[in-house]
Amino acid sequence: MGVTDPAGPVMDRDEVDRALARLGQEHEAIETSLLALQDHAGRRLLEGADLTGVTRERWQETETRITRLWGYFDAYAAALRSAREIRARRRWASREDLVELTELLRGESVTVAGNGVLSESFSLSALVDRMNELYATSLDLVVACDAVWSALPARIDLLAAELQRTRKLAHSVGVRPGEHPSGDDLERITRTLTRLREDVISDPLAFWVPAEGSSAPGGGRPDTTVYDREARALEDVRREIDAVLTVRQDAEARLIRLRDVLSRADRTLAEARTARGEVLAKIAATEVPVVSGPPTVLQEQLATAAEYRRQAQWHRLSPLLESLEQKAEDELLRARESLTAVTAPLAVRAELRGRLDAYKAKVARHGLAEDPFLVERYDAARRMLWSAPCDLRVAEQAVLRYQQLAAELLGGGSGAPEDRKGDQS
């Protein structure tokens, strides 16, 4: 929209003709802008919408402003017609015509009905300024509302469609409201998106952030804070459901592994209990730790996990499996430690037997296998190690005596048989 020249002295014919040409161009520009505003998609939506809040208040003001804008335009067009008619009276305008035209084109010659019974008088340039102001303000509101309606509802609908798919998937894996936090989150997101869409449709200006320092109509952006927050919340729920889906896919294999680990732990404990009885029967004067039975609570929890899987309660199965897997590994480790502790005396006896036989083989390689003193000490140690119950302390001393005598003989140290016999005694 244009701006007219300020008022001045009586215009000559050329000035009048130039002014009329300029005013005619402004008239066309103003009319084009007003028709574009009239046909603007945002304006049509505003006229048909059930508005609330700040948008309702501002649209009521804008409708009044647009009506006034058309009234100003009609007055402007009428004044321009009058000026053209005066100029068209004669080819060479008289002074009286020029005075009248100057007053019409530069003076406050346009009277427009105002609010109530008041009326306003404008020069054509001032009237154009007023129309520019009203037009910019009206267009700003229309463009802002249209921008919000163009951006947010479609995005909300897409997110709502994704939400529905997520809800169906969540329901299929047992993530339901009241039973799982993610189910409650889905309900809250659903309510928030429904309310958000209603608010955006009825009060778009509540979701508009004007640009700082912008004078362009519609300068700003839609406020997507609530939408973005709910989109992030839905993404968090999707990740949780993906985790539950992974549990559903791996549940059977994980349950099989759990049963295997617990079975190995039970077998190891059973072996430890059997070994304890053997140790008590074969080893004398030793403390053998008591072997406890398998904890029934793990079997109960395993049965619960299997029931969760049967009922497709994946959201409950997931944390239970994680806990059971750790407890099962701990139980297997405990069983192995019990077996090691129980069989320690047998391991000591086996080590003494091995050491005794190793020294016997060594002295045999050196031709000392028939030495009567070595044979006597070997037989004494062997009787102790292969008899039941075996006193490990006494047997160890017998093996040490055999080792010492063998070391003396292998080292070349020899004494009279009587001396060795005395040592033996």
Side-chain angles (χ1 to χ4, degrees):
M1 301 178 77
V3 178
T4 58
D5 292 337
V10 175
M11 305 167 67
D12 60 27
R13 180 169 55 86
D14 290 338
E15 288 176 328
V16 168
D17 290 342
R18 286 195 299 270
L20 287 174
R22 185 179 63 255
L23 290 171
Q25 293 173 353
E26 289 182 342
H27 177 272
E28 292 179 4
I30 294 170
E31 184 176 36
T32 300
S33 297
L34 290 178
L35 290 175
L37 177 61
Q38 191 74 16
D39 293 336
H40 197 288
R43 184 181 187 281
R44 292 197 300 270
L45 289 173
L46 283 164
E47 287 182 334
D50 184 12
L51 301 174
T52 61
V54 63
T55 305
R56 179 179 180 179
E57 296 176 5
R58 290 189 56 186
W59 174 239
Q60 289 175 345
E61 297 170 357
T62 300
E63 280 190 305
T64 302
R65 192 178 295 117
I66 293 174
T67 300
R68 183 174 297 278
L69 183 55
W70 277 105
Y72 286 159
F73 178 73
D74 290 340
Y76 179 86
L80 180 58
R81 264 194 321 271
S82 298
R84 284 172 172 170
E85 290 172 357
I86 295 172
R87 180 64 185 90
R89 290 175 186 170
R90 50 185 65 87
R91 182 177 180 182
W92 303 101
S94 65
R95 179 169 178 78
E96 290 76 12
D97 292 340
L98 292 176
V99 171
E100 187 175 0
L101 285 169
T102 299
E103 176 62 26
L104 185 57
L105 296 177
R106 290 183 173 176
E108 294 184 353
S109 57
V110 184
T111 301
V112 183
N115 296 326
V117 297
L118 298 177
S119 60
E120 301 173 281
S121 295
F122 298 93
S123 65
L124 287 176
S125 62
L127 189 56
V128 169
D129 291 340
R130 177 62 64 87
M131 286 190 290
N132 281 337
E133 177 187 346
L134 294 177
Y135 175 80
T137 306
S138 302
L139 182 62
D140 183 73
L141 179 137
V142 171
V143 171
C145 291
D146 187 55
V148 172
W149 281 334
S150 298
L152 276 176
R155 295 174 68 181
I156 293 171
D157 290 343
L158 288 175
L159 188 61
E162 178 63 25
L163 173 62
Q164 291 306 312
R165 289 191 292 270
T166 304
R167 283 167 62 93
K168 291 179 182 179
L169 184 61
H171 192 271
S172 70
V173 296
V175 177
R176 300 180 178 91
E179 298 180 7
H180 193 280
S182 292
D184 297 333
D185 289 341
L186 287 174
E187 287 297 299
R188 182 193 59 75
I189 295 170
T190 300
R191 292 192 301 268
T192 302
L193 287 183
T194 300
R195 185 173 60 253
L196 177 62
R197 195 182 194 286
E198 293 172 353
D199 292 344
V200 166
I201 294 300
S202 66
D203 191 10
L205 290 182
F207 299 89
W208 181 251
V209 181
E212 291 289 338
S214 174
S215 59
R221 61 174 178 81
D223 182 1
T224 61
T225 302
V226 178
Y227 169 87
D228 293 339
R229 183 189 67 211
E230 299 309 313
R232 289 192 298 270
L234 181 58
E235 180 61 29
D236 291 341
V237 172
R238 277 199 296 262
R239 282 196 293 268
E240 176 66 23
I241 293 173
D242 287 343
V244 175
L245 282 171
T246 300
V247 172
R248 183 174 70 175
Q249 295 167 357
D250 300 341
E252 181 60 22
R254 293 173 71 180
L255 284 171
I256 291 174
R257 286 196 298 270
L258 270 173
R259 294 189 184 99
D260 178 65
V261 172
L262 290 177
S263 177
R264 282 188 285 155
D266 290 348
R267 290 196 302 271
T268 303
L269 287 176
E271 184 180 350
R273 286 191 293 273
T274 301
R276 186 174 188 273
E278 181 182 354
V279 170
L280 290 175
K282 295 181 177 180
I283 307 298
T286 186
E287 291 293 331
V288 184
V290 177
V291 180
S292 63
T296 58
V297 64
L298 292 184
Q299 294 297 335
E300 293 172 354
Q301 290 179 349
L302 184 61
T304 301
E307 183 65 15
Y308 284 162
R309 180 183 178 276
R310 188 183 67 81
Q311 296 178 357
Q313 296 185 8
W314 312 111
H315 60 291
R316 294 181 176 176
L317 178 59
S318 177
L320 181 56
L321 279 179
E322 292 180 5
S323 173
L324 269 175
E325 286 166 344
Q326 182 60 52
K327 291 178 180 177
E329 292 295 335
D330 293 343
E331 178 61 17
L332 179 58
L333 178 62
R334 184 183 72 85
R336 288 170 173 170
E337 290 174 346
S338 293
L339 178 60
T340 300
V342 165
T343 57
L346 294 177
V348 171
R349 188 185 66 173
E351 189 274 333
L352 290 174
R353 286 177 174 180
R355 195 194 315 171
L356 181 65
D357 288 342
Y359 267 91
K360 180 183 178 183
K362 185 175 183 180
V363 297
R365 287 195 302 272
H366 288 80
L368 300 175
E370 301 302 324
D371 185 273
F373 292 100
L374 280 176
V375 171
E376 181 181 355
R377 291 192 178 182
Y378 174 81
D379 290 341
R382 192 177 192 286
R383 282 194 303 273
M384 293 179 188
L385 288 172
W386 268 266
S387 64
C390 171
D391 189 327
L392 289 177
R393 184 183 60 80
V394 176
E396 183 179 16
Q397 292 300 318
V399 171
L400 285 174
R401 285 195 296 272
Y402 178 74
Q403 286 180 240
Q404 290 168 356
L405 181 57
E408 290 176 5
L409 293 176
L410 293 172
S414 62
E418 293 81 5
D419 295 338
R420 284 188 252 160
K421 189 172 183 180
D423 293 340
Q424 177 69 16
S425 62

